[in-house]
Structures are given as structure tokens and as C-alpha cells.
CSV table of all heavy atoms in Angstrom, one decimal:
chain,number,residue,atom,x,y,z
A,1,ASP,N,-26.9,49.5,52.9
A,1,ASP,CA,-26.1,49.5,54.1
A,1,ASP,C,-25.9,50.9,54.6
A,1,ASP,O,-25.4,51.1,55.7
A,1,ASP,CB,-24.8,48.8,53.9
A,1,ASP,CG,-24.9,47.3,53.9
A,1,ASP,OD1,-26.0,46.8,54.2
A,1,ASP,OD2,-23.9,46.6,53.5
A,2,PHE,N,-26.1,51.9,53.7
A,2,PHE,CA,-25.8,53.3,54.0
A,2,PHE,C,-27.1,54.1,54.3
A,2,PHE,O,-27.1,55.3,54.3
A,2,PHE,CB,-25.0,53.9,52.9
A,2,PHE,CG,-23.7,53.2,52.7
A,2,PHE,CD1,-23.6,52.3,51.7
A,2,PHE,CD2,-22.6,53.5,53.5
A,2,PHE,CE1,-22.4,51.6,51.5
A,2,PHE,CE2,-21.4,52.8,53.2
A,2,PHE,CZ,-21.3,51.9,52.2
A,3,GLN,N,-28.2,53.4,54.6
A,3,GLN,CA,-29.5,54.1,54.8
A,3,GLN,C,-29.6,54.2,56.3
A,3,GLN,O,-29.0,53.4,57.1
A,3,GLN,CB,-30.6,53.3,54.2
A,3,GLN,CG,-30.6,53.2,52.7
A,3,GLN,CD,-30.8,54.5,52.0
A,3,GLN,OE1,-31.2,55.5,52.6
A,3,GLN,NE2,-30.2,54.6,50.8
A,4,PRO,N,-30.3,55.1,56.9
A,4,PRO,CA,-31.2,56.1,56.2
A,4,PRO,C,-30.3,57.1,55.5
A,4,PRO,O,-29.0,57.2,55.8
A,4,PRO,CB,-32.0,56.7,57.3
A,4,PRO,CG,-31.1,56.5,58.6
A,4,PRO,CD,-30.5,55.3,58.4
A,5,PRO,N,-30.8,58.0,54.6
A,5,PRO,CA,-30.0,59.0,54.0
A,5,PRO,C,-29.3,59.9,55.0
A,5,PRO,O,-29.8,60.3,56.0
A,5,PRO,CB,-31.1,59.8,53.2
A,5,PRO,CG,-32.2,58.8,53.0
A,5,PRO,CD,-32.3,58.1,54.3
A,6,PRO,N,-28.0,60.2,54.6
A,6,PRO,CA,-27.3,61.2,55.5
A,6,PRO,C,-27.7,62.6,55.4
A,6,PRO,O,-28.5,62.9,54.5
A,6,PRO,CB,-25.8,61.0,54.9
A,6,PRO,CG,-26.0,60.7,53.5
A,6,PRO,CD,-27.3,59.9,53.5
A,7,ASP,N,-27.4,63.3,56.3
A,7,ASP,CA,-27.7,64.9,56.2
A,7,ASP,C,-26.9,65.5,55.1
A,7,ASP,O,-27.4,66.4,54.5
A,7,ASP,CB,-27.3,65.5,57.5
A,7,ASP,CG,-28.1,65.0,58.7
A,7,ASP,OD1,-29.4,65.0,58.6
A,7,ASP,OD2,-27.6,64.5,59.7
A,8,TYR,N,-25.6,65.1,55.0
A,8,TYR,CA,-24.7,65.6,54.0
A,8,TYR,C,-24.1,64.5,53.2
A,8,TYR,O,-23.6,63.5,53.8
A,8,TYR,CB,-23.7,66.6,54.6
A,8,TYR,CG,-24.2,67.8,55.2
A,8,TYR,CD1,-24.3,67.8,56.6
A,8,TYR,CD2,-24.4,68.9,54.5
A,8,TYR,CE1,-24.8,68.9,57.3
A,8,TYR,CE2,-24.8,70.1,55.2
A,8,TYR,CZ,-25.1,70.1,56.5
A,8,TYR,OH,-25.6,71.2,57.1
A,9,ILE,N,-23.8,64.8,51.9
A,9,ILE,CA,-22.9,63.9,51.1
A,9,ILE,C,-21.8,64.9,50.6
A,9,ILE,O,-22.2,66.0,50.1
A,9,ILE,CB,-23.7,63.3,49.9
A,9,ILE,CG1,-24.6,62.2,50.5
A,9,ILE,CG2,-22.7,62.6,49.0
A,9,ILE,CD1,-25.6,61.6,49.4
A,10,LEU,N,-20.6,64.4,50.7
A,10,LEU,CA,-19.5,65.3,50.3
A,10,LEU,C,-18.8,64.5,49.1
A,10,LEU,O,-18.6,63.4,49.0
A,10,LEU,CB,-18.4,65.4,51.4
A,10,LEU,CG,-18.9,66.0,52.7
A,10,LEU,CD1,-17.8,65.9,53.8
A,10,LEU,CD2,-19.5,67.3,52.6
A,11,MET,N,-18.4,65.5,48.1
A,11,MET,CA,-17.8,64.9,46.9
A,11,MET,C,-16.7,65.9,46.5
A,11,MET,O,-17.0,67.1,46.3
A,11,MET,CB,-18.7,64.8,45.8
A,11,MET,CG,-19.9,63.8,46.0
A,11,MET,SD,-21.2,64.0,44.8
A,11,MET,CE,-20.3,63.8,43.3
A,12,ALA,N,-15.5,65.5,46.3
A,12,ALA,CA,-14.4,66.3,45.8
A,12,ALA,C,-13.7,65.7,44.6
A,12,ALA,O,-13.2,64.6,44.8
A,12,ALA,CB,-13.4,66.6,46.9
A,13,ASP,N,-13.8,66.3,43.5
A,13,ASP,CA,-13.1,65.9,42.2
A,13,ASP,C,-13.5,64.5,41.9
A,13,ASP,O,-12.7,63.6,41.7
A,13,ASP,CB,-11.6,66.0,42.4
A,13,ASP,CG,-11.1,67.1,41.5
A,13,ASP,OD1,-11.9,67.7,40.7
A,13,ASP,OD2,-9.9,67.4,41.6
A,14,CYS,N,-14.8,64.3,41.8
A,14,CYS,CA,-15.4,62.9,41.4
A,14,CYS,C,-15.9,62.9,39.9
A,14,CYS,O,-16.4,61.9,39.5
A,14,CYS,CB,-16.5,62.6,42.3
A,14,CYS,SG,-16.0,62.2,44.0
A,15,ILE,N,-15.6,64.0,39.2
A,15,ILE,CA,-16.1,64.1,37.9
A,15,ILE,C,-15.0,64.0,36.9
A,15,ILE,O,-14.4,65.1,36.5
A,15,ILE,CB,-16.9,65.4,37.6
A,15,ILE,CG1,-17.9,65.7,38.7
A,15,ILE,CG2,-17.6,65.3,36.3
A,15,ILE,CD1,-18.4,67.1,38.8
A,16,TYR,N,-14.6,62.8,36.5
A,16,TYR,CA,-13.5,62.8,35.5
A,16,TYR,C,-13.5,61.6,34.6
A,16,TYR,O,-12.9,61.6,33.6
A,16,TYR,CB,-12.1,62.8,36.3
A,16,TYR,CG,-12.0,61.9,37.4
A,16,TYR,CD1,-11.6,60.6,37.3
A,16,TYR,CD2,-12.2,62.3,38.7
A,16,TYR,CE1,-11.5,59.7,38.3
A,16,TYR,CE2,-12.1,61.5,39.8
A,16,TYR,CZ,-11.8,60.2,39.6
A,16,TYR,OH,-11.7,59.4,40.7
A,17,TYR,N,-14.3,60.5,34.9
A,17,TYR,CA,-14.4,59.4,34.0
A,17,TYR,C,-15.8,59.3,33.4
A,17,TYR,O,-16.8,59.3,34.1
A,17,TYR,CB,-14.1,58.1,34.8
A,17,TYR,CG,-12.8,57.8,35.2
A,17,TYR,CD1,-12.4,57.3,36.5
A,17,TYR,CD2,-11.7,58.1,34.3
A,17,TYR,CE1,-11.1,57.1,36.9
A,17,TYR,CE2,-10.3,57.9,34.7
A,17,TYR,CZ,-10.1,57.4,36.0
A,17,TYR,OH,-8.8,57.2,36.4
A,18,GLU,N,-15.9,59.3,32.1
A,18,GLU,CA,-17.2,59.3,31.4
A,18,GLU,C,-18.0,58.1,31.8
A,18,GLU,O,-19.2,58.2,32.2
A,18,GLU,CB,-16.9,59.3,29.9
A,18,GLU,CG,-18.2,59.6,29.2
A,18,GLU,CD,-17.9,59.9,27.7
A,18,GLU,OE1,-16.8,59.7,27.3
A,18,GLU,OE2,-18.9,60.3,27.0
A,19,GLU,N,-17.3,56.9,32.0
A,19,GLU,CA,-18.0,55.7,32.3
A,19,GLU,C,-18.5,55.7,33.7
A,19,GLU,O,-19.3,54.9,34.1
A,19,GLU,CB,-17.1,54.4,32.0
A,19,GLU,CG,-15.9,54.4,32.7
A,19,GLU,CD,-14.7,55.2,32.0
A,19,GLU,OE1,-15.0,56.0,31.1
A,19,GLU,OE2,-13.5,54.9,32.3
A,20,SER,N,-18.1,56.6,34.6
A,20,SER,CA,-18.4,56.6,35.9
A,20,SER,C,-19.7,57.5,36.2
A,20,SER,O,-20.3,57.5,37.3
A,20,SER,CB,-17.3,57.0,36.9
A,20,SER,OG,-17.0,58.5,36.8
A,21,LEU,N,-20.0,58.3,35.3
A,21,LEU,CA,-21.1,59.3,35.5
A,21,LEU,C,-22.5,58.6,35.9
A,21,LEU,O,-23.1,59.0,36.8
A,21,LEU,CB,-21.4,60.2,34.3
A,21,LEU,CG,-20.1,61.0,33.9
A,21,LEU,CD1,-20.5,62.0,32.7
A,21,LEU,CD2,-19.7,61.9,35.0
A,22,GLU,N,-22.9,57.7,35.1
A,22,GLU,CA,-24.2,57.0,35.3
A,22,GLU,C,-24.2,56.2,36.7
A,22,GLU,O,-25.1,56.5,37.5
A,22,GLU,CB,-24.5,56.0,34.2
A,22,GLU,CG,-24.9,56.7,32.9
A,22,GLU,CD,-26.2,57.3,32.7
A,22,GLU,OE1,-26.9,57.3,33.9
A,22,GLU,OE2,-26.6,57.8,31.7
A,23,PRO,N,-23.2,55.5,37.0
A,23,PRO,CA,-23.1,54.8,38.4
A,23,PRO,C,-23.1,55.9,39.5
A,23,PRO,O,-23.7,55.7,40.5
A,23,PRO,CB,-21.8,54.0,38.3
A,23,PRO,CG,-21.5,53.8,36.8
A,23,PRO,CD,-22.0,55.0,36.2
A,24,LEU,N,-22.4,56.9,39.3
A,24,LEU,CA,-22.3,57.9,40.3
A,24,LEU,C,-23.7,58.6,40.6
A,24,LEU,O,-24.1,58.8,41.6
A,24,LEU,CB,-21.2,59.1,39.9
A,24,LEU,CG,-21.2,60.3,40.8
A,24,LEU,CD1,-20.9,59.9,42.3
A,24,LEU,CD2,-20.2,61.3,40.3
A,25,LEU,N,-24.3,58.9,39.4
A,25,LEU,CA,-25.7,59.5,39.6
A,25,LEU,C,-26.7,58.5,40.1
A,25,LEU,O,-27.5,59.0,40.9
A,25,LEU,CB,-26.1,60.1,38.2
A,25,LEU,CG,-25.4,61.3,37.7
A,25,LEU,CD1,-25.5,61.5,36.2
A,25,LEU,CD2,-25.8,62.5,38.4
A,26,LYS,N,-26.6,57.3,39.8
A,26,LYS,CA,-27.5,56.3,40.5
A,26,LYS,C,-27.3,56.2,41.9
A,26,LYS,O,-28.2,56.2,42.7
A,26,LYS,CB,-27.1,54.9,39.8
A,26,LYS,CG,-27.9,53.7,40.4
A,26,LYS,CD,-27.7,52.4,39.7
A,26,LYS,CE,-28.5,51.3,40.1
A,26,LYS,NZ,-28.2,50.9,41.6
A,27,THR,N,-26.0,56.3,42.4
A,27,THR,CA,-25.7,56.2,43.7
A,27,THR,C,-26.2,57.5,44.5
A,27,THR,O,-26.7,57.4,45.6
A,27,THR,CB,-24.1,56.1,44.0
A,27,THR,OG1,-23.7,54.8,43.5
A,27,THR,CG2,-23.8,56.2,45.4
A,28,LEU,N,-26.1,58.6,43.8
A,28,LEU,CA,-26.5,59.9,44.5
A,28,LEU,C,-28.0,59.8,44.5
A,28,LEU,O,-28.6,60.3,45.6
A,28,LEU,CB,-26.1,61.1,43.5
A,28,LEU,CG,-24.9,61.7,43.8
A,28,LEU,CD1,-24.6,62.9,42.8
A,28,LEU,CD2,-24.7,62.3,45.2
A,29,ARG,N,-28.8,59.4,43.6
A,29,ARG,CA,-30.2,59.3,43.6
A,29,ARG,C,-30.7,58.4,44.7
A,29,ARG,O,-31.6,58.7,45.5
A,29,ARG,CB,-30.8,58.8,42.3
A,29,ARG,CG,-30.8,59.7,41.2
A,29,ARG,CD,-31.7,59.3,40.0
A,29,ARG,NE,-31.2,58.1,39.4
A,29,ARG,CZ,-30.2,58.1,38.4
A,29,ARG,NH1,-29.8,59.2,37.9
A,29,ARG,NH2,-29.8,57.0,37.8
């Protein structure tokens, strides 16, 4: 639903739960 890829993706303080790293990286990819 969020395609086509945006020009920019913004992230602020999204790195704090170990269990969220893989899902976050999958979403970024």
C-alpha cells in the first residue's frame, strides 16, 4: 500500500527493541 518507493524515509529513535530489528530492516528493504 506504500508503493511506489518514497523519495525519503524518515526515522527518529527507532533502534531500541532487539526483537524489532529484523522486522524494521525487512520494511526498509
Side-chain angles (χ1 to χ4, degrees):
D1 288 346
F2 301 95
Q3 299 296 336
D7 298 304
Y8 294 95
I9 293 173
L10 306 175
M11 300 167 53
D13 251 350
C14 290
I15 314 164
Y16 47 84
Y17 289 138
E18 191 169 11
E19 58 272 22
S20 72
L21 295 186
E22 292 281 6
L24 173 57
L25 289 162
K26 177 178 185 289
T27 294
L28 273 180
R29 285 193 296 269

